[in-house]
Amino acid sequence: MTTRDVPPREVDPGGSCLVLGGAGAVGRHLAPMLGQVVPGVVVVASRCRHRAAAVAATVQGGSTAVQLDPHDPIALSEALRDVGTVVNCVEDPEGWVAGRCAERGVRYVDISANAEVLGAVEARRADFLRSGTTAVLSVGVAPGLTNLLATHAVSRLAEAPARVEIGVLLGTGEAHGAAGARWTAEGLAAAPRGRGAGGNPRLTRFPEFGARRAYPFPFSDQEHLRATLGVPVTTRLCFDNPAVTAA
Ligand SMILES: NC(=O)c1ccc[n+]([C@@H]2O[C@H](COP(=O)([O-])OP(=O)(O)OC[C@H]3O[C@@H](n4cnc5c(N)ncnc54)[C@H](OP(=O)(O)O)[C@@H]3O)[C@@H](O)[C@H]2O)c1
């Protein structure tokens, strides 16, 4: 999917849409996409005003740049004034920003793929419920699209499947940020080795790429899908470059 595929539609953001980490590897792509959906209300935040301004200049419909360290409680509290939605692109393992959003009734989206970060936000569930505010998690590729595709596929079956197998093929040539690269390296270190339950590689057919050997990888989508679908789920990873996958 590209930004060109985002259909124009009217969305009421209920205030401005603050993108934390808006100058990061993911944030600088996300902010212009949000500008297409909710024009004129996107605010790009970075600890560096110049980096925020450079991204804000690429946002269709106009955007504001703010200098903000999300871990500074006074600055964050000030920045949340008049904000309807926060999109957090900064790793926040304590769920600090989520907690402030729940208190203030600000809608919260966390793009993290990190299970620890997602768990910290989930731990604030009662706070979000108390303030009647929504938090949306697992919004990327895996977790994210994989959760939706697997749920959709299972919903089309007449009977519950014995298990769900997901294959993810990532591009090695893409520009990943430090957080994204760290998450991949940590996942590779933690991935189950050898054969056994969930540990088997699997030959998986990917459209346009053909059959690739994919290896179990601790994507967090598996945890949530096991709970929501009630069947064993394994997500495997390979790269577009077979030599990198083998390594
Ligand atoms: N679901 C998926 O499929 C998927 C895929 C890829 C990545 N992700 C997630 O996307 C998020 C962003 O990844 P990324 O690769 O874009 O990250 P990144 O470029 O390394 O960092 C994003 C921003 O975080 C801010 N930051 C870093 N360290 C900080 C600190 N100590 N205090 C305050 N701010 C700090 C920086 O903002 P400034 O320096 O500009 O202030 C940086 O621009 C991660 O949570 C990652 O897990 C999800």
Side-chain angles (χ1 to χ4, degrees):
M1 191 169 181
T2 70
T3 52
R4 285 190 304 277
D5 301 321
V6 178
R9 64 201 144 123
E10 285 196 10
V11 176
D12 178 7
S16 60
C17 181
L18 177 67
V19 183
L20 299 176
V26 176
R28 62 176 171 259
H29 293 289
L30 197 67
M33 290 181 80
L34 283 170
Q36 292 180 353
V37 182
V38 285
V41 298
V42 175
V43 179
V44 179
S46 166
R47 290 171 298 176
C48 168
R49 183 178 295 281
H50 299 300
R51 282 205 299 270
V55 176
T58 68
V59 176
Q60 189 181 309
S63 173
T64 313
V66 293
Q67 182 172 14
L68 173 67
D69 182 344
H71 299 121
D72 176 338
I74 297 171
L76 180 66
S77 186
E78 182 71 19
L80 287 181
R81 232 185 263 168
D82 301 327
V83 168
T85 306
V86 162
V87 179
N88 195 0
C89 305
V90 178
E91 292 276 276
D92 185 15
E94 271 93 46
W96 157 256
V97 177
R100 302 296 77 72
C101 288
E103 281 168 15
R104 302 281 290 264
V106 173
R107 289 187 294 253
Y108 181 79
V109 180
D110 200 313
I111 67 152
S112 184
N114 183 325
E116 186 189 359
V117 173
L118 299 180
V121 180
E122 281 174 20
R124 311 256 177 190
R125 186 186 187 92
D127 299 335
F128 280 101
L129 287 172
R130 205 173 299 121
S131 63
T133 312
T134 307
V136 183
L137 306 177
S138 299
V139 296
V141 175
L145 286 176
T146 52
N147 297 56
L148 295 176
L149 287 170
T151 305
H152 176 71
V154 169
S155 75
R156 302 290 296 266
L157 299 173
E159 289 176 22
R163 62 183 181 279
V164 172
E165 312 267 1
I166 300 170
V168 176
L169 183 147
L170 294 182
T172 37
E174 290 169 29
H176 297 287
R182 188 169 55 244
W183 168 82
T184 308
E186 286 172 1
L188 289 171
R193 301 265 182 263
R195 312 212 161 248
N200 298 339
R202 184 186 170 96
L203 206 58
T204 307
R205 186 163 294 282
F206 293 91
E208 296 179 31
F209 288 89
R212 296 295 173 89
R213 192 171 296 278
Y215 293 82
F217 188 85
F219 286 108
S220 68
D221 59 348
Q222 300 161 94
E223 303 303 323
H224 295 100
L225 283 167
R226 270 179 216 133
T228 54
L229 299 178
V231 296
V233 181
T234 303
T235 307
R236 293 181 174 80
L237 169 69
C238 66
F239 296 97
D240 54 353
N241 183 330
V244 174
T245 307

